[in-house]
Amino acid sequence: MELFTTTWAALRRAVHELPEHAFSLPSGCRGWLVRDLVGHLVIDAQDVLITLATPAETAPTADALSCWTPTPAPPDGTDPHDALTVRLAAAYEDPGLLRKHLEDLGGAAERAALLAEPDLPVATQGMSLTVRDFLHAYVLEWTLHHLDLLAHLGPEDAPAPPPVEGLAEARDMVERRLRVRLPAGWADADALRRATGRLPITDAQRAELEELGPRGEMLPLSFG
């Protein structure tokens, strides 16, 4: 629960610190500008608010790891939902309005999370999971998107990176979901980017993955 608020607050602070011209630069999400990624975060904040207000009628059917479905094909921005996100983000025109909307909804989502009963089952995307697991799944989401936010920004534009504790936990979540431990020599941020297809893998790094066995050979896999 604490890591949810830590990583979410850090990501919103990073968006707040972006210079306006950075909203027109590419993000780490294929097919999305930084502006589109921030629009997606607005939708994520809405999802948190909606889910926390939607008690499940069944016992939990998923947890913070099993709710993720890694896939070989990364999103490219052409999915109808992704394309809608682009259109919605463009409608703001002024980056300040988009930033303000995220601040308002994001702050409300954080407050709702702090007030929620951790063991209450909630429903989202056809699954039932506890509030605790639902929020913890977002630690991975926030950390990956924080890295996406910074992917193509120069040092003069880039806000602070994700919190180290969030990076470490997100890496552990990816490794446990994939049932493989990534090379110990890889920094957490690089391990996350490579394992999820956000950073190209060199021949030498591919050899390291192949040494991990069949699961290592499957990488990268997309986590959204």
Side-chain angles (χ1 to χ4, degrees):
M1 298 282 283
E2 183 179 346
L3 269 181
F4 169 87
T5 55
T6 299
T7 52
W8 185 218
L11 178 51
R12 285 161 34 226
R13 186 163 54 249
V15 172
H16 179 75
E17 294 172 357
L18 286 174
E20 289 205 358
H21 72 268
F23 282 75
S24 299
L25 298 175
S27 77
C29 297
R30 292 176 59 194
W32 278 1
L33 302 176
V34 167
R35 175 188 67 194
D36 306 326
L37 175 56
V38 176
H40 172 72
L41 297 179
V42 169
I43 295 172
D44 272 352
Q46 293 175 164
D47 176 63
V48 171
L49 287 167
I50 292 168
T51 300
L52 291 179
T54 310
E57 298 180 355
T58 66
T61 59
D63 60 23
L65 295 183
S66 63
C67 68
W68 290 97
T69 305
T71 57
D76 59 7
T78 60
D79 174 86
H81 183 271
D82 293 346
L84 175 62
T85 299
V86 172
R87 294 197 297 274
L88 290 173
Y92 283 88
E93 295 184 355
D94 179 1
L97 296 176
L98 182 55
R99 186 190 282 116
K100 180 66 165 57
H101 197 187
L102 177 62
E103 289 175 357
D104 290 344
L105 274 176
E110 181 176 329
R111 291 189 295 274
L114 291 171
L115 293 170
E117 168 53 50
D119 296 318
L120 176 72
V122 290
T124 183
Q125 299 180 31
M127 299 177 289
S128 168
L129 62 171
T130 66
V131 165
R132 188 190 315 276
D133 277 327
F134 170 69
L135 296 178
H136 198 68
Y138 263 108
V139 171
L140 178 54
E141 174 96 356
W142 302 147
T143 303
L144 288 175
H145 283 329
H146 199 143
L147 294 173
D148 291 332
L149 193 73
L150 310 180
H152 299 285
L153 301 183
E156 70 282 1
D157 294 329
V164 292
E165 61 268 41
L167 286 167
E169 180 61 21
R171 176 182 183 154
D172 185 64
M173 291 174 72
V174 166
E175 291 177 336
R176 285 188 290 140
R177 185 66 182 88
L178 298 176
R179 289 186 288 172
V180 63
R181 287 297 176 185
L182 299 169
W186 291 7
D188 291 341
D190 290 340
L192 286 167
R193 288 187 176 113
R194 290 171 186 147
T196 61
R198 287 166 161 83
L199 195 66
I201 296 175
T202 67
D203 290 343
Q205 291 158 359
R206 171 61 60 193
E208 290 183 86
L209 289 175
E210 290 174 353
E211 291 177 1
L212 303 176
R215 294 191 178 279
E217 294 171 2
M218 292 170 57
L219 297 178
L221 292 172
S222 173
F223 276 70

